[in-house]
């Protein structure tokens, strides 16, 4: 039972870090080139 006292806060902190990293990537426009990725697959760069 004492393990849960440690693991629950650690998991909440790691989840918060993951959420903060995701929000940072969304705010810094990492996911804006939706159409470019779809078209890039069709183009041959040989």
């Amino acid at each position: 039972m004492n393990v849960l006292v440690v693991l629950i806060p650690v998991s909440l902190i790691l989840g918060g870090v993951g959420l903060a990293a995701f929000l940072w990537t969304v705010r810094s426009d990492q996911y804006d080139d939706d159409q470019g990725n779809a078209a890039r697959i069709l183009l041959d760069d040989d």
Side-chain angles (χ1 to χ4, degrees):
M1 201 63 162
N2 290 335
V3 164
L4 290 178
V5 173
V6 173
L7 288 179
I8 290 175
V10 168
S11 66
L12 289 175
I13 289 170
L14 287 176
V17 168
L19 180 64
F22 173 72
L23 291 176
W24 175 70
T25 59
V26 168
R27 288 184 181 155
S28 64
D29 299 330
Q30 295 286 324
Y31 304 112
D32 276 349
D33 192 17
D34 293 334
Q35 295 300 320
N37 290 334
R40 205 172 297 127
I41 234 174
L42 299 173
L43 301 175
D44 193 15
D45 289 340
D46 285 340

